[in-house]
Amino acid sequence: MAEGLTACDPVFTVAGRRVPDLARDCLALTVEESTAGLRTLTAQFLAVAPRRRPNDDVVEYLDGRTLSFGSELAASLGAPGDEHVVFAGSVSALEVTFDEGDTPYVTVFAEDALMSLRMTRRSRTYRQVGDADLARRIAADHGLTAEADAPGPTYPLVHQVNESDLAFLRKRAELIGAEVWATGRTLHFATRDRRPGPRLRLAQGRELLTVTVRADLAHQRSAVRVSGYDARGRDAITSQADQAVVTAEVTGGRIGPEVLLRAVGPRADQRTRMVPLAEAEGLAWARAGMQSRARRFVTAIATSCGTPELTVGSRLTLSGVGGPFDGDGYYTTRVRHAFRRGAGGLRSHFEAERPTVNAEGSR
């Protein structure tokens, strides 16, 4: 067995109560999340388990006694005594599968607290608000606590036009380089530098089973410009962010815009579908656009032999992945924990990015 392999059964709680039967009957479990928010769970359970309450149904877990629509479901993974909660949310779908010659199974689908935002579509106007204010307002609408830490401009008017609350918040977050996620009944809205996450070390050939790392200039730019019209001053707006906003985030190595300038020359991006109505808006949007591109200069796609503490927002140090790519500075942007009984236990699939390659001769 590979070092660090996690093969322990998942732990399930329903409405805060541990349910050992679900662990016993779990055939497979997948939990996924990304920087866009909305964590999802898919779990398959053996449907012919011993019955404590015999009935006329041909399968278990469809009578609503253990799980039903809206049930509060949480799942933890990890060694006994060191479990990590990888999902907490509500059941949104139930499915049963029969296949000739195979044992039937029930599949449970669940989503975290952002499900309520995804299912609420509306049009309305907000006045004199920042993007963090919008997050607090929407959280209150859904009975959620808000933790919003995303500095940015204040807008005289913001329109939400026939959008779900989740799609609207995702769009507002993208404008200023923030991210949306939920933990329990708390809605988070924060810029990347203010998002908490564990710091982990993963080595190729040890924790990492597969890993592909790429540095790519295709989407790098030397500057990002945003043009608009100052509604108060009645004058054109041209805001620009260059590699200085990226350099401020790193402590070493060569950033993508720097490599681009040396290899290809200056290449600026003009964002044409954004129309800021004040200079502060243009500057914030240009800065976020530049950071977003630069942060994706180096990307890693990998699978570990079970890392349940890994979440979106984890800061990673990768080793054994080649001179240009070894080291810290990786930010996890997508995670999929996949448990399958009898097929290796838990695997953690993830994507991460960082804005730099190591300088020649350094590690």
Side-chain angles (χ1 to χ4, degrees):
M1 183 177 294
E3 182 175 346
L5 177 63
T6 302
C8 300
D9 290 350
V11 175
F12 294 95
T13 62
V14 178
R17 179 177 62 88
R18 184 166 177 170
V19 185
D21 288 356
L22 291 176
R24 177 198 66 198
D25 298 335
C26 182
L27 300 173
L29 169 68
T30 301
V31 174
E32 298 187 64
E33 63 169 330
S34 73
T35 52
L38 188 64
R39 189 178 303 192
T40 61
L41 172 146
T42 304
Q44 295 176 353
F45 299 99
L46 186 69
V48 292
R51 300 170 184 269
R52 294 183 178 180
R53 292 178 291 270
N55 55 45
D56 295 331
D57 202 346
V58 295
V59 297
E60 283 280 22
Y61 300 123
L62 291 179
D63 59 3
R65 294 177 182 270
T66 303
L67 292 169
S68 186
F69 296 106
S71 294
E72 295 180 5
L73 177 65
S76 301
L77 291 168
D82 191 32
E83 299 97 343
H84 296 266
V85 177
V86 294
F87 178 84
S90 301
V91 174
S92 58
L94 296 168
E95 175 183 275
V96 63
T97 300
F98 299 90
D99 193 0
E100 182 179 10
D102 202 357
T103 305
Y105 59 88
V106 169
T107 304
V108 176
F109 302 85
E111 300 179 12
D112 70 12
L114 296 185
M115 177 173 67
S116 178
L117 281 67
R118 179 182 64 79
M119 299 175 71
T120 303
R121 182 178 294 271
R122 67 177 105 218
S123 296
R124 67 181 174 187
T125 298
Y126 306 85
R127 300 178 184 275
Q128 293 299 320
V129 292
D131 292 301
D133 299 323
L134 293 171
R136 297 185 189 99
R137 169 74 179 273
I138 290 174
D141 289 342
H142 293 272
L144 303 176
T145 301
E147 290 190 4
D149 192 4
T154 297
Y155 309 95
L157 291 173
V158 176
H159 301 289
Q160 180 180 355
V161 182
N162 192 29
E163 293 175 288
S164 74
D165 284 348
L166 181 56
F168 177 65
L169 268 190
R170 284 171 169 171
K171 184 178 71 175
R172 300 309 307 182
E174 183 181 6
L175 283 174
I176 61 169
E179 296 172 4
V180 182
W181 74 100
T183 55
R185 299 293 298 172
T186 300
L187 169 68
H188 301 268
F189 185 95
T191 50
R192 179 171 294 190
D193 60 309
R194 303 182 183 209
R195 179 171 185 166
R199 296 186 178 275
L200 304 172
R201 290 181 173 271
L202 302 173
Q204 187 275 327
R206 295 184 59 187
E207 295 86 0
L208 296 180
L209 300 176
T210 67
V211 58
T212 300
V213 190
R214 171 190 291 187
D216 193 342
L217 292 176
H219 300 287
Q220 294 302 298
R221 297 295 182 268
S222 53
V224 172
R225 301 189 186 106
V226 176
S227 298
Y229 183 76
D230 189 331
R232 186 179 298 275
R234 298 187 178 183
D235 197 6
I237 296 172
T238 300
S239 301
Q240 176 172 302
D242 57 23
Q243 67 181 53
V245 303
V246 185
T247 304
E249 292 189 322
V250 302
T251 57
R254 294 185 296 152
I255 61 174
E258 176 189 348
V259 177
L260 177 75
L261 284 170
R262 292 183 182 181
V264 180
R267 296 290 188 274
D269 178 48
Q270 179 71 48
R271 308 191 74 175
T272 59
R273 296 186 180 182
M274 309 169 72
V275 185
L277 301 180
E279 185 175 1
E281 297 174 19
L283 287 171
W285 298 354
R287 180 185 180 89
M290 186 67 185
Q291 289 174 330
S292 177
R293 285 183 175 276
R295 287 167 175 168
R296 298 195 303 270
F297 177 40
V298 176
T299 56
I301 301 175
T303 299
S304 76
C305 50
T307 312
E309 63 269 39
L310 184 68
T311 66
V312 169
S314 295
R315 275 69 173 180
L316 305 181
T317 297
L318 302 184
S319 61
V321 294
F325 306 124
D326 271 354
D328 60 8
Y330 288 92
Y331 183 91
T332 309
T333 58
R334 183 178 296 272
V335 174
R336 176 167 61 90
H337 295 297
F339 168 86
R340 184 167 294 277
R341 188 177 300 281
L346 175 65
R347 297 290 187 267
S348 298
H349 310 272
F350 66 91
E351 298 177 16
E353 60 188 32
R354 79 172 186 180
T356 64
V357 291
N358 297 327
E360 290 86 346
S362 66
R363 294 291 186 269

